[in-house]
Amino acid sequence: MDITTTPAWSAALKSADTISQTTLKDLFAQDSARAETLSVEVLVGEDAMLVDFSKQNVDEHSVQCLIALAEQAGVEQKRNDMFEGVVVNGTEQQPALHTALRGPIETSVNVKGIDVMDEILRVRARVKEFAESVRAGRIVGATGKKFESVINVGIGGSDLGPTLVHEALSTVSHPAIRAHFVANIDPTEVRSALRECNPETTLVVLCSKSFSTSETLSNGRIIAQWITDAIGAKNVSKHFAVVSVFPEKAESAGLPADYEFPMWSWVGGRYSISSAVNLVNVIAFGSSAYDSMLSGMRSMDEHFMTAPLHRNAPVLMGLLNVWNRSILGRETRAMIAYSTALKSFASYVQQLEMESNGKRVTTDGNLVSMPTSPIVWGGVGTNAQHAYMQLLHQGTSIVPADFIGVATTPTHDGVAHDALVANLFAQSQALAFGNASDPHRTLPGNRPSTTLMLSSLSPRTLGALIALYEHSVFVQGCVFGINSFDQWGVELGKKLANEVSAQISTPSQSGGADASTEKLVQWYKTHRSNT
Ligand code: F6P
């Protein structure tokens, strides 16, 4: 079914026409309850998250139209299917069971007749036991020394989630062990991490769902050689842990590992932070922080499953993204966290959203008939205000923004923190309401944003925040009618990189590539340092 041919879609377009005749200033003036009715508070244990959608260009009727679209798209049924382990990733014939990864003990989720929860809980317990043993010095390096550094080697979902969680939690508790993150195949990155580590006291966590990602294998081999040079090849495996669907591939890839933690083909890399992919942080912050993060994710899962659609934060967030992108044609969305702890959140959501919903074909193989994922980008406030917010206020493109803030500061610098939060609120105010002045100084206003506040930053609220965005992406995918869980668009680049590598490494090889690539290869061969 093409949703753009339905009465629900026509009604949404009509409502968008009406909205374009009005402004946020008018909408607030007409409805004194707007800030109440267009915001949702989600309880996360003893914490809370407030999501304020009232500065989006919608009225009550447009929200009703969007809810009707969600109903038309079968969001509730598809959500239930996803949680229950039905195949929702058709091109790979897989369920998408990231929610089971944080499921409570009493859940049961069947995949092809097998309850996967037993295996999930078994691996979760092993992750925690291993991490606690490393922290306590019961598991040590080959020369008997306690591990002092851990290097997470992985890219994409095997890096962005662990990095985000590490940066965020480092601001609320002190990591027990120094963590480094190596993703890029650019050897500069791994060399700079190694300069800060001692091979005798370094544990490597090699994260790769597929165990075929060239960046991760290349970096892993450089580190294995570094350990070999220091303490001998036979000792390398005691310094390596592997997290993968295929941990057994490590040995034949020249990366023997004494510690193996499985993940499963039914979890997408960008959805994998609740799995053993988070091992580096379980080691750094302990298993109770891991449990808290999982319970925060569960709080959001439960809210997504049980709140009525019009009070459901991920549903509303997803639908408003469809509204902005597919109905109002806004091409990008900014994500600005007013929290240095969340400085990598924009990058995390960028992969989550763009790799999930950057698609042009529906689940049944037809071309989509509406724009899908926006380009997601962003950074931290207040830095953003002194870099690119000018364009959001006065530029010719309308860029919806998500502002994220935290109410309680872990540093007790109350005055400075109040100023930080004041800036967040002021930016959304300036975007929404603008000001009238001479042509150069006028801010037109009527520019949309969502403000999301966490009562505090903790493993629990961080988990809930991540799950909120996961589910919002899912809701958008349902309305777009696409498969949010595959990523075929990245494969061609990987294949061509192998072909170009062969051209670069074979002295006389040329031909086969286009003229531009040929020229670039020849130029590179002439100028590279080792020729
Ligand atoms: O290239 C895209 C991708 O497959 C992402 O989806 C994934 O998160 C990343 O590469 C890393 O993959 P892996 O965990 O299999 O090494």
mmCIF file of all heavy atoms in Angstrom, residues 493-514:
data_model
loop_
_atom_site.group_PDB
_atom_site.id
_atom_site.type_symbol
_atom_site.label_atom_id
_atom_site.label_comp_id
_atom_site.label_asym_id
_atom_site.label_seq_id
_atom_site.Cartn_x
_atom_site.Cartn_y
_atom_site.Cartn_z
ATOM 1 N N GLY A 493 30.446 0.408 -1.950
ATOM 2 C CA GLY A 493 31.674 1.133 -1.592
ATOM 3 C C GLY A 493 32.729 0.182 -1.028
ATOM 4 O O GLY A 493 33.923 0.312 -1.317
ATOM 5 N N LYS A 494 32.275 -0.805 -0.212
ATOM 6 C CA LYS A 494 33.223 -1.759 0.372
ATOM 7 C C LYS A 494 33.866 -2.604 -0.733
ATOM 8 O O LYS A 494 35.066 -2.840 -0.737
ATOM 9 C CB LYS A 494 32.504 -2.690 1.353
ATOM 10 C CG LYS A 494 31.998 -2.015 2.606
ATOM 11 C CD LYS A 494 31.387 -3.064 3.533
ATOM 12 C CE LYS A 494 30.624 -2.433 4.664
ATOM 13 N NZ LYS A 494 29.918 -3.394 5.500
ATOM 14 N N LYS A 495 33.038 -3.052 -1.698
ATOM 15 C CA LYS A 495 33.535 -3.906 -2.789
ATOM 16 C C LYS A 495 34.535 -3.119 -3.640
ATOM 17 O O LYS A 495 35.622 -3.605 -3.953
ATOM 18 C CB LYS A 495 32.323 -4.348 -3.631
ATOM 19 C CG LYS A 495 32.648 -5.232 -4.782
ATOM 20 C CD LYS A 495 31.355 -5.770 -5.422
ATOM 21 C CE LYS A 495 31.604 -6.315 -6.805
ATOM 22 N NZ LYS A 495 31.619 -5.299 -7.862
ATOM 23 N N LEU A 496 34.167 -1.882 -3.979
ATOM 24 C CA LEU A 496 35.058 -1.074 -4.821
ATOM 25 C C LEU A 496 36.362 -0.760 -4.093
ATOM 26 O O LEU A 496 37.423 -0.705 -4.713
ATOM 27 C CB LEU A 496 34.352 0.222 -5.251
ATOM 28 C CG LEU A 496 33.165 0.032 -6.208
ATOM 29 C CD1 LEU A 496 32.519 1.375 -6.532
ATOM 30 C CD2 LEU A 496 33.585 -0.669 -7.491
ATOM 31 N N ALA A 497 36.284 -0.578 -2.765
ATOM 32 C CA ALA A 497 37.519 -0.294 -2.011
ATOM 33 C C ALA A 497 38.491 -1.460 -2.149
ATOM 34 O O ALA A 497 39.705 -1.264 -2.276
ATOM 35 C CB ALA A 497 37.195 -0.024 -0.545
ATOM 36 N N ASN A 498 37.954 -2.697 -2.155
ATOM 37 C CA ASN A 498 38.833 -3.859 -2.344
ATOM 38 C C ASN A 498 39.454 -3.850 -3.730
ATOM 39 O O ASN A 498 40.636 -4.142 -3.900
ATOM 40 C CB ASN A 498 38.046 -5.167 -2.156
ATOM 41 C CG ASN A 498 37.715 -5.376 -0.694
ATOM 42 O OD1 ASN A 498 38.430 -4.884 0.184
ATOM 43 N ND2 ASN A 498 36.624 -6.087 -0.427
ATOM 44 N N GLU A 499 38.657 -3.500 -4.744
ATOM 45 C CA GLU A 499 39.191 -3.474 -6.114
ATOM 46 C C GLU A 499 40.267 -2.403 -6.250
ATOM 47 O O GLU A 499 41.316 -2.621 -6.844
ATOM 48 C CB GLU A 499 38.054 -3.218 -7.114
ATOM 49 C CG GLU A 499 37.113 -4.408 -7.220
ATOM 50 C CD GLU A 499 35.894 -4.132 -8.099
ATOM 51 O OE1 GLU A 499 35.915 -3.164 -8.889
ATOM 52 O OE2 GLU A 499 34.924 -4.889 -7.974
ATOM 53 N N VAL A 500 40.003 -1.231 -5.678
ATOM 54 C CA VAL A 500 40.987 -0.141 -5.784
ATOM 55 C C VAL A 500 42.254 -0.508 -4.995
ATOM 56 O O VAL A 500 43.377 -0.240 -5.440
ATOM 57 C CB VAL A 500 40.386 1.198 -5.297
ATOM 58 C CG1 VAL A 500 41.432 2.298 -5.313
ATOM 59 C CG2 VAL A 500 39.206 1.604 -6.165
ATOM 60 N N SER A 501 42.063 -1.176 -3.846
ATOM 61 C CA SER A 501 43.236 -1.610 -3.066
ATOM 62 C C SER A 501 44.133 -2.499 -3.918
ATOM 63 O O SER A 501 45.360 -2.386 -3.883
ATOM 64 C CB SER A 501 42.804 -2.424 -1.848
ATOM 65 O OG SER A 501 42.315 -1.582 -0.888
ATOM 66 N N ALA A 502 43.504 -3.409 -4.682
ATOM 67 C CA ALA A 502 44.288 -4.312 -5.542
ATOM 68 C C ALA A 502 45.050 -3.499 -6.581
ATOM 69 O O ALA A 502 46.224 -3.760 -6.852
ATOM 70 C CB ALA A 502 43.365 -5.324 -6.217
ATOM 71 N N GLN A 503 44.408 -2.475 -7.129
ATOM 72 C CA GLN A 503 45.088 -1.632 -8.121
ATOM 73 C C GLN A 503 46.274 -0.914 -7.502
ATOM 74 O O GLN A 503 47.304 -0.746 -8.123
ATOM 75 C CB GLN A 503 44.127 -0.561 -8.648
ATOM 76 C CG GLN A 503 43.315 -1.004 -9.843
ATOM 77 C CD GLN A 503 42.445 0.165 -10.264
ATOM 78 O OE1 GLN A 503 41.387 0.377 -9.692
ATOM 79 N NE2 GLN A 503 42.917 0.928 -11.223
ATOM 80 N N ILE A 504 46.094 -0.482 -6.250
ATOM 81 C CA ILE A 504 47.168 0.273 -5.590
ATOM 82 C C ILE A 504 48.341 -0.643 -5.240
ATOM 83 O O ILE A 504 49.501 -0.300 -5.419
ATOM 84 C CB ILE A 504 46.632 0.973 -4.317
ATOM 85 C CG1 ILE A 504 45.682 2.107 -4.715
ATOM 86 C CG2 ILE A 504 47.764 1.507 -3.447
ATOM 87 C CD1 ILE A 504 44.963 2.775 -3.560
ATOM 88 N N SER A 505 47.998 -1.874 -4.786
ATOM 89 C CA SER A 505 49.093 -2.722 -4.302
ATOM 90 C C SER A 505 49.800 -3.490 -5.417
ATOM 91 O O SER A 505 50.902 -3.985 -5.220
ATOM 92 C CB SER A 505 48.579 -3.683 -3.238
ATOM 93 O OG SER A 505 47.534 -4.438 -3.777
ATOM 94 N N THR A 506 49.197 -3.601 -6.602
ATOM 95 C CA THR A 506 49.848 -4.340 -7.692
ATOM 96 C C THR A 506 50.561 -3.339 -8.595
ATOM 97 O O THR A 506 49.906 -2.479 -9.184
ATOM 98 C CB THR A 506 48.787 -5.127 -8.507
ATOM 99 O OG1 THR A 506 47.895 -5.716 -7.583
ATOM 100 C CG2 THR A 506 49.414 -6.164 -9.394
ATOM 101 N N PRO A 507 51.897 -3.422 -8.692
ATOM 102 C CA PRO A 507 52.656 -2.379 -9.379
ATOM 103 C C PRO A 507 52.133 -2.042 -10.767
ATOM 104 O O PRO A 507 51.932 -0.880 -11.090
ATOM 105 C CB PRO A 507 54.065 -2.959 -9.459
ATOM 106 C CG PRO A 507 54.128 -3.985 -8.391
ATOM 107 C CD PRO A 507 52.743 -4.476 -8.152
ATOM 108 N N SER A 508 51.848 -3.063 -11.584
ATOM 109 C CA SER A 508 51.540 -2.732 -12.977
ATOM 110 C C SER A 508 50.040 -2.671 -13.227
ATOM 111 O O SER A 508 49.608 -2.370 -14.334
ATOM 112 C CB SER A 508 52.140 -3.800 -13.879
ATOM 113 O OG SER A 508 51.607 -5.041 -13.457
ATOM 114 N N GLN A 509 49.246 -3.012 -12.190
ATOM 115 C CA GLN A 509 47.808 -3.148 -12.478
ATOM 116 C C GLN A 509 47.147 -1.805 -12.777
ATOM 117 O O GLN A 509 47.301 -0.833 -12.075
ATOM 118 C CB GLN A 509 47.067 -3.798 -11.311
ATOM 119 C CG GLN A 509 45.642 -4.151 -11.710
ATOM 120 C CD GLN A 509 45.012 -5.121 -10.718
ATOM 121 O OE1 GLN A 509 45.705 -5.861 -10.043
ATOM 122 N NE2 GLN A 509 43.691 -5.119 -10.664
ATOM 123 N N SER A 510 46.450 -1.773 -13.895
ATOM 124 C CA SER A 510 45.619 -0.613 -14.207
ATOM 125 C C SER A 510 44.486 -1.125 -15.069
ATOM 126 O O SER A 510 44.459 -2.281 -15.448
ATOM 127 C CB SER A 510 46.409 0.470 -14.932
ATOM 128 O OG SER A 510 46.736 0.006 -16.214
ATOM 129 N N GLY A 511 43.586 -0.282 -15.409
ATOM 130 C CA GLY A 511 42.456 -0.711 -16.242
ATOM 131 C C GLY A 511 41.323 -1.185 -15.391
ATOM 132 O O GLY A 511 41.495 -1.552 -14.226
ATOM 133 N N GLY A 512 40.142 -1.199 -15.942
ATOM 134 C CA GLY A 512 38.974 -1.674 -15.201
ATOM 135 C C GLY A 512 38.214 -0.547 -14.565
ATOM 136 O O GLY A 512 36.994 -0.517 -14.595
ATOM 137 N N ALA A 513 38.932 0.421 -13.989
ATOM 138 C CA ALA A 513 38.222 1.521 -13.319
ATOM 139 C C ALA A 513 37.950 2.648 -14.314
ATOM 140 O O ALA A 513 38.499 2.676 -15.416
ATOM 141 C CB ALA A 513 39.064 2.037 -12.170
ATOM 142 N N ASP A 514 37.104 3.563 -13.924
ATOM 143 C CA ASP A 514 36.826 4.741 -14.751
ATOM 144 C C ASP A 514 38.073 5.625 -14.825
ATOM 145 O O ASP A 514 38.992 5.499 -14.008
ATOM 146 C CB ASP A 514 35.661 5.512 -14.127
ATOM 147 C CG ASP A 514 36.035 5.971 -12.735
ATOM 148 O OD1 ASP A 514 35.896 5.165 -11.780
ATOM 149 O OD2 ASP A 514 36.506 7.091 -12.597
#
